[in-house]
Amino acid sequence: MAVVASAPGKVLITGGYLILERPNAGIVLSTNARFYAIVKPLYEQVKPDSCESRNPFVEYAVQYAVAAAYAIFDKNKKDALHKLLLQGLDITILGCNDFYSYRNQIEARGLPLTPEALAALPPFASITFNADESNGGNCKPEVAKTGLGSSAAMTTAVVAALLHYLGVVNLSSSIDQQHDGDLDMVHMIAQSAHCIAQGKIGSGFDVSSAVYGSQRYVRFSPEVLSSAQVAVKETPLQEVITGILKGKWDHERAMFSLPPLMTLVSKLKPFNVLVTVYLSGCMSLLGEPGTGGSSTPSMVGAVKKWQKSDPQKSQETWKKLSESNSALETQLNMLSKLAEEHWNAYKQVIESCSKLKSEKWMEQATEPTQEAVVKSLLGARDAMLGIRYHMRLMGEAAGVPIEPESQTQLLNATMDMEGVLLAGVPGAGGFDAVFAVTLGDSGSNVTKAWSSVNVLALLVREDPHGVSLESCDPRTTEITSAVSAVHIE
């Protein structure tokens, strides 16, 4: 019987750069864009053939999941596992279209750059590749991604499906019935496989959100995986996995989601940016010369270089940025609390403010509770403006475009619209993407305004849930958006 598991993509709204170092926290939202992994036997009968994947993230996900099973099973279970593996593994991986850019296909059809046009694309649309124009197209093109953490979501989905298929964990299709121990196992194996496949130990927020959903995240100490990174070349994999499972995973996470009646809106990475016209195509995750994108590793490297060259100034900027991040978190948590304790007042304020610009919001408060809601809304806006200001200062000092002028113009115009609470650059910033958080039904106005200046908004919204066992193959049901597929035997 096939096992189907899914894991979500992410948007990091606070913690850019700071999240790389403990104990700085970041707020990461999981999304309704998900990767699906379907695992079933390759053969009906036992055969001694082996399967191999050419995708490093899938390859390490398979290797580490199988090694984890061998590491924790007793002899009887290992014998059953061996027989199961001799039937081979048939793995199908499906990724929602939101993980990839389909701007070229939309334009080729003569359709407007709107979410409706994106939603009208057929399932399993061919994935767009970016040719390397600077080298005459001689290099292998990169898949055009949208920065939602496709590799982390894919790795997590494959690990979760395999661990459940092999009997290592018992996942549930009900989010509320997931067991922490099972999710922790998925997290450790997915985090390890993802880091080894990347060739570096990142902060891990993308995998953590893929497993647990939206959260406040503080990274694990790199030492928990640094020994595995060395040992993987010299030590039997089963021993490496045993060490990982026994390691001190000191990451911190707390439940978090946007307050009620708020919507996350994202746009694609741009190919190029003109003075007042924003071309919102998509490029590879790491960027390429001449395509107008940003290389996250090189930007992080530039910021670290600046930290070493000017420790006093950089520490001062990081401190103020951290304070702004904490202020935004505090205001959003306060709004969630006010919604829980004073729903009618909260709902009335959100509905009223969704139709007005922020300078008119306080006029809508007719009693103390409503005033408290508006104060938190305005406090959240001020905190985001502080985050953007200090991110720009960091970028200027480090010589990298964390919030480029073209993005600044778009973000300012967006935050000046009716019903917009926040707008910013997620993660490391650059030309990669922007996001907005809107009140009530005002999100549709933002997507229309973006479309009018040639900016394509994604279909992505926040879904606070993490990894999940699915009841059926997503190709047999209607999901939120079309999917792209790769089949591996």
Side-chain angles (χ1 to χ4, degrees):
M1 181 178 177
V3 167
V4 184
S6 70
K10 53 71 186 172
V11 175
L12 183 70
I13 64 170
T14 73
Y17 295 95
L18 273 69
I19 202 172
L20 294 169
E21 298 179 4
R22 290 175 56 84
N24 298 313
I27 293 176
V28 54
L29 304 181
S30 55
T31 71
N32 59 348
R34 301 179 78 88
F35 257 89
Y36 300 80
I38 306 166
V39 179
K40 61 184 179 181
L42 183 59
Y43 310 110
E44 292 184 5
Q45 303 296 326
V46 172
K47 294 189 178 183
D49 299 0
S50 62
C51 307
E52 183 178 356
S53 162
R54 294 182 181 180
N55 181 303
F57 293 99
V58 176
E59 182 178 348
Y60 282 110
V62 173
Q63 289 182 5
Y64 276 49
V66 172
Y70 274 110
I72 67 173
F73 282 173
D74 59 22
K75 185 180 183 305
N76 290 336
K77 285 189 175 181
K78 284 180 180 177
D79 290 341
L81 172 64
H82 185 64
K83 291 179 181 178
L84 184 61
L85 291 175
L86 285 178
Q87 289 181 259
L89 292 172
D90 183 316
I91 305 174
T92 302
I93 301 170
L94 310 169
C96 285
N97 277 353
D98 283 314
F99 285 101
Y100 305 103
S101 169
Y102 292 93
R103 178 188 176 94
N104 290 345
Q105 288 92 322
I106 292 174
E107 291 181 329
R109 294 171 181 225
L111 298 175
L113 290 176
T114 62
E116 291 76 17
L118 190 60
L121 289 173
F124 313 108
S126 298
I127 295 174
T128 300
F129 286 86
N130 296 314
D132 189 340
E133 297 176 3
S134 62
N135 291 321
N138 293 326
C139 296
K140 182 180 179 181
E142 297 280 352
V143 174
K145 301 180 182 179
T146 57
L148 292 178
S150 57
S151 63
M154 177 177 65
T155 301
T156 301
V158 173
V159 166
L162 274 170
L163 290 179
H164 185 92
Y165 177 78
L166 299 175
V168 178
V169 300
N170 184 18
L171 300 177
S172 171
S173 56
S174 171
I175 302 295
D176 297 331
Q177 294 179 5
Q178 300 283 28
H179 297 293
D180 287 345
D182 289 332
L183 292 180
D184 291 344
M185 174 65 75
V186 173
H187 177 255
M188 287 186 287
I189 300 304
Q191 200 73 263
S192 304
H194 190 252
C195 285
I196 298 300
Q198 279 189 318
K200 65 183 181 71
I201 302 174
S203 66
F205 76 87
D206 45 4
V207 172
S208 187
S209 62
V211 175
Y212 302 106
S214 296
Q215 61 190 269
R216 178 189 189 272
Y217 176 80
V218 176
R219 72 159 303 151
F220 55 86
S221 296
E223 292 75 24
V224 75
L225 284 179
S226 56
S227 58
Q229 203 172 26
V230 175
V232 73
K233 299 177 182 178
E234 307 168 355
T235 310
L237 185 54
Q238 192 171 325
E239 292 182 26
V240 174
I241 290 295
T242 299
I244 288 172
L245 296 179
K246 292 181 179 179
K248 184 182 178 182
W249 288 86
D250 54 359
H251 58 287
E252 302 171 22
R253 60 179 178 86
M255 290 182 62
F256 182 91
S257 63
L258 287 177
L261 305 180
M262 295 187 186
T263 303
L264 173 72
V265 184
S266 298
K267 85 166 183 69
L268 293 174
K269 300 177 178 181
F271 266 130
N272 205 346
V273 182
L274 304 180
V275 177
T276 56
V277 180
Y278 302 87
L279 299 180
S280 173
C282 181
M283 48 166 303
S284 71
L285 188 60
L286 299 181
E288 297 178 48
T291 58
S294 306
S295 167
T296 298
S298 65
M299 291 177 67
V300 170
V303 170
K304 287 184 175 180
K305 183 178 179 181
W306 164 63
Q307 284 182 282
K308 291 180 180 179
S309 65
D310 193 350
Q312 183 176 349
K313 181 65 175 177
S314 63
Q315 286 177 13
E316 180 183 341
T317 301
W318 275 46
K319 180 176 180 292
K320 291 179 179 178
L321 180 55
S322 178
E323 290 170 353
S324 295
N325 286 337
S326 296
L328 177 57
E329 179 185 342
T330 297
Q331 297 298 343
L332 292 176
N333 284 333
M334 177 59 70
L335 286 164
S336 293
K337 182 179 180 182
L338 287 167
E340 182 179 354
E341 297 177 355
H342 307 281
W343 173 249
N344 289 335
Y346 174 88
K347 181 173 181 287
Q348 185 175 344
V349 169
I350 298 298
E351 289 178 348
S352 298
C353 293
S354 69
K355 302 177 179 65
L356 300 168
K357 293 186 177 184
S358 60
E359 58 263 29
K360 298 286 188 180
W361 290 356
M362 189 55 76
E363 298 173 10
Q364 307 310 303
T366 59
E367 48 90 14
T369 301
Q370 292 181 347
E371 185 176 334
V373 174
V374 175
K375 283 184 176 179
S376 283
L377 291 173
L378 295 175
R381 282 179 61 88
D382 288 342
M384 176 53 73
L385 290 173
I387 291 171
R388 289 180 52 201
Y389 174 74
H390 294 299
M391 289 280 273
R392 285 197 302 271
L393 284 185
M394 184 192 304
E396 291 168 5
V400 289
I402 292 178
E403 187 186 293
E405 176 60 26
S406 55
Q407 299 286 55
T408 297
Q409 293 176 30
L410 179 59
L411 292 171
N412 288 346
T414 301
M415 285 194 73
D416 194 43
M417 292 183 62
E418 291 84 355
V420 174
L421 179 65
L422 310 173
V425 290
F431 292 102
D432 290 357
V434 298
F435 72 88
V437 175
T438 60
L439 306 179
D441 298 326
S442 61
S444 59
N445 296 329
V446 173
T447 59
K448 289 177 183 176
W450 284 358
S451 295
S452 70
V453 291
N454 214 25
V455 170
L456 175 60
L458 294 173
L459 299 170
V460 170
R461 297 292 182 268
E462 186 201 12
D463 179 348
H465 303 118
V467 73
S468 174
L469 188 70
E470 302 292 334
S471 58
C472 60
D473 188 324
R475 291 169 295 185
T476 65
T477 61
E478 290 190 9
I479 56 178
T480 55
S481 60
V483 295
S484 299
V486 59
H487 187 72
I488 299 171
E489 292 186 354

